[in-house]
Amino acid sequence: MTTPLEGIRVVDFSRVLAGPFCAKTLQDLGAQVTKIEPPRGDVSRLAAPINPNGVTGYYAQQNAGKRNISIDLNKPQAKEIAWRLVEQADIVVENFRPGTLASFGFDYEHVRQRNPRAVYVSISGYGQGGPWRGRMAYAPTVQAEAGFTHHMLRHFGENLKAPQTDALSHADVYAGMEATIAVLAALHQRERTGEGQHIDVAMAATLMAINEHAHMDLNGLDPGDDPAILGATDGSFFVGPNGEQFLSAISLVNTITFGWFIAAMRRPDLMDDPRFRSSALRRANLRALVEVVQKWIWTFPDMATVDAQFDEAKIAIGEVRTMDHIANSEWADYWNATYSVPDRQGGEYRLPGRPWKFSEAELPLPAAPSEQGEQNHEICRELGFSDAEIAEMESNGSLVGNFTAQMIAMVTAQLAAKEARFAAEQNQFENSDDDNA
């Protein structure tokens, strides 16, 4: 079997998450991805816990299997390497601040002149134009600007001891996903027109688009005391018969869904309970209502029976699992939900698998994650450079080796020296105390 994107070549200028996630998804679908890394390396190579060779788990998750060449685009010969790659590419991915690649001559207009079939996708916080074009953009800040954080704070309300942002980089991942969708659409359009195009993806616009409750705020709609019936509602947490923590997907407060709980428990009398007669009263007495449901749950022997009772009433529940717990479940075995790649230090990283299965395509697992500049020679030879030219480019800094590993080694040595000095000083101090005694 072939892969859906077999024969498609991707040049990945991006770093950290949004762009790498897009390029990784294209690779998972069968494209060949060549990552161009700057001299200082992708900052995700420094994500904790540090790996001495710069192949961290964070880096591996987004870049395993990508070929890697590290170049300094300030050097003319490095630009020639990049141009030869771009001229052969079907897709170019970048997520720098708008204007960054243009300063090196690799903006879409210049790329189109040399490769009119290229699909060029730019991912940024607020788009390639407009008043916020030049602003720095990281997931937490864009989530704050785009209403995402406000929605979360309003949703949790007084349950939050202090305002906080989300633990995951939704803006990056969703933007990477939307970029992938747009790229695939542009490839399909190219089949008709023969020409590529530029795709501008804004993280802020992405977050507005994926917010299923945006219509409420945009139109000033007020649900009153009833919480939303769809989406991430204020579902309650419960404890299962054997101590399992789980939550329901729907609200005990909402007038409609409260009836579903009553049906599940066979407790129509709760409708007439003065504490629970309206959504406002149920919200005011939510702790007591949760306790009623909790006691009912504990009448069953196990979670399977509890799940069946809720399912009968069309109430979905989910156990709160750790990532390790679900990765070792029978469902994960069925889905092949994880796979492993070498960490290049004698161990391995276990990573999330693919979210899709194709009936008529086979998706091979990614190869090991590359060290910075690991395929420098191989890629340059494929592009027609001689060994003498490659040696010259290494000597003048156009080609860069594993600078990240060198930097990690240097910092590690400095920290070790500092610790040794501190230990010596501490020992000297303790000896002087003994002498004085």
Side-chain angles (χ1 to χ4, degrees), residues 255 258-259 262 267-274 276-278 282:
T255 301
F258 174 57
I262 286 175
R267 290 288 307 275
D269 58 293
L270 292 176
M271 279 288 194
D272 297 321
D273 190 308
F276 311 138
R277 284 177 179 169
S278 69
R282 287 190 293 275

Side-chain angles (χ1 to χ4, degrees), residues 185-378:
L187 286 178
H188 182 69
Q189 184 175 349
R190 190 179 72 175
E191 291 298 308
R192 300 195 309 271
T193 66
E195 294 184 353
Q197 59 185 296
H198 185 215
I199 302 166
D200 184 2
V201 179
M203 294 159 68
T206 296
L207 285 178
M208 293 180 69
I210 60 94
N211 183 344
E212 73 265 41
H213 295 302
H215 64 280
M216 300 289 289
D217 290 333
L218 293 176
N219 296 283
L221 302 179
D222 183 4
D225 292 317
D226 270 340
I229 193 173
L230 299 174
T233 68
D234 55 352
S236 297
F237 285 79
F238 302 101
V239 178
N242 297 301
E244 307 90 343
Q245 185 184 35
F246 70 96
L247 60 84
S248 66
I250 61 174
S251 171
L252 276 166
V253 174
N254 182 277
T255 301
I256 295 174
T257 54
F258 174 57
W260 300 356
F261 280 94
I262 286 175
M265 295 187 291
R266 275 76 167 175
R267 290 288 307 275
D269 58 293
L270 292 176
M271 279 288 194
D272 297 321
D273 190 308
R275 298 171 298 173
F276 311 138
R277 284 177 179 169
S278 69
S279 54
L281 287 168
R282 287 190 293 275
R283 187 178 296 282
N285 297 286
L286 184 58
R287 183 173 297 180
L289 182 53
V290 169
E291 187 175 340
V292 170
V293 180
Q294 181 65 77
K295 288 180 179 178
W296 170 74
I297 289 169
W298 281 337
T299 65
F300 298 102
D302 51 47
M303 278 299 297
T305 312
V306 172
D307 193 26
Q309 292 295 315
F310 275 117
D311 186 80
E312 184 181 280
K314 305 304 179 186
I315 300 172
I317 62 173
E319 185 175 343
V320 179
R321 302 173 186 262
T322 64
M323 182 66 75
D324 184 63
H325 190 180
I326 189 171
N328 291 293
S329 67
E330 58 183 6
W331 168 81
D333 290 339
Y334 152 73
W335 189 262
N336 296 321
T338 66
Y339 67 96
S340 296
V341 297
D343 67 0
R344 313 299 300 280
Q345 286 287 105
E348 63 181 21
Y349 293 122
R350 192 178 186 189
L351 303 175
R354 276 66 178 273
W356 350 263
K357 290 178 181 285
F358 288 82
S359 65
E360 303 301 326
E362 184 177 347
L363 304 178
L365 293 177
S370 296
E371 295 182 358
Q372 182 182 352
E374 185 168 347
Q375 286 82 37
N376 281 358
H377 287 205
E378 174 188 333

Side-chain angles (χ1 to χ4, degrees), residues 106-157:
F106 286 90
D107 55 300
Y108 174 65
E109 290 305 319
H110 284 94
V111 168
R112 183 175 65 170
Q113 292 172 16
R114 299 178 69 154
N115 182 359
R117 287 179 54 81
V119 173
Y120 185 117
V121 60
S122 301
I123 307 171
S124 63
Y126 306 100
Q128 298 299 300
W132 290 2
R133 173 180 184 267
R135 294 184 64 185
M136 287 186 68
Y138 286 86
T141 59
V142 178
Q143 286 162 200
E145 293 278 10
F148 187 95
T149 302
H150 176 263
H151 186 88
M152 185 190 73
L153 295 175
R154 182 179 60 191
H155 178 80
F156 290 109

